[in-house]
Amino acid sequence: MIAIRVASAVLAGVSLMTLAACGDDSEPAAPAATTATTPSATTVTADAAASAAPARNADTVTCEQAERAVKSFKNAILTLAQSGVTELSPVDAKAMLTDFADDLTKASEGAGPEMTAALKANIDAALTAAKDKDPGTALDSPETAKAGKELNALCKAAGVETTF
């Protein structure tokens, strides 16, 4: 059962890495401000530069950090699978899930109350699964799926696609 989930996670990780390689994560540079002799021209230039910069609020940053945590978790699974591991040991699963929960905790710093609650639900799911005898089965629960969907929806509203 875990081998199937590991294979699915590996394929998902490979797919995400392929998609990530296609995109350009660099932010566009703001247009250079020009020196103008009239106050109205300076105001127009400053307004244009401000509107060209992408809006980056706390939820956007939080979601980007949470997505990096997911990618790191999936990369760890992928690395294990590439090393020939066919079944994830509970010890390895516990370590990976604990690291994942720690990364999500760091991502939640400075987040709004709704985002913090959604992250906490995912953190709790990861830590609960880490304590279980069969972490893979424990993580594959309706509560975990619901927590992931809620976080994905909040992040989508913030302009960030996440894959929880």
Side-chain angles (χ1 to χ4, degrees):
M1 184 65 112
I2 291 178
I4 293 171
R5 276 188 244 123
V6 169
S8 298
V10 168
L11 291 175
V14 170
S15 299
L16 288 173
M17 287 189 293
T18 303
L19 289 174
C22 294
D24 181 8
D25 291 338
S26 63
E27 293 183 25
T34 58
T35 305
T37 56
T38 62
S40 61
T42 304
T43 304
V44 170
T45 304
D47 289 342
S51 66
R56 301 202 27 100
N57 61 31
D59 286 350
T60 301
V61 172
T62 298
C63 290
E64 289 169 348
Q65 292 172 344
E67 182 62 15
R68 280 193 291 276
V70 169
K71 286 180 182 180
S72 176
F73 180 71
K74 289 178 181 178
N75 284 337
I77 292 172
L78 182 63
T79 300
L80 279 174
Q82 289 174 341
S83 71
V85 172
T86 57
E87 190 168 325
L88 189 61
S89 75
V91 172
D92 288 337
K94 179 179 181 173
M96 291 169 50
L97 288 166
T98 302
D99 286 345
F100 178 59
D102 290 345
D103 289 344
L104 289 180
T105 300
K106 290 175 189 168
S108 70
E109 295 171 1
E114 191 175 18
M115 186 67 69
T116 300
L119 282 166
K120 183 166 178 7
N122 284 278
I123 293 165
D124 291 346
L127 292 176
T128 300
K131 294 175 188 172
D132 198 273
K133 291 178 186 174
D134 184 4
T137 301
L139 196 59
D140 189 21
S141 71
E143 294 82 17
T144 303
K146 181 182 177 204
K149 286 180 184 178
E150 288 175 5
L151 186 57
N152 286 339
L154 287 171
C155 287
K156 186 174 184 176
V160 179
E161 287 292 324
T162 56
T163 54
F164 280 83

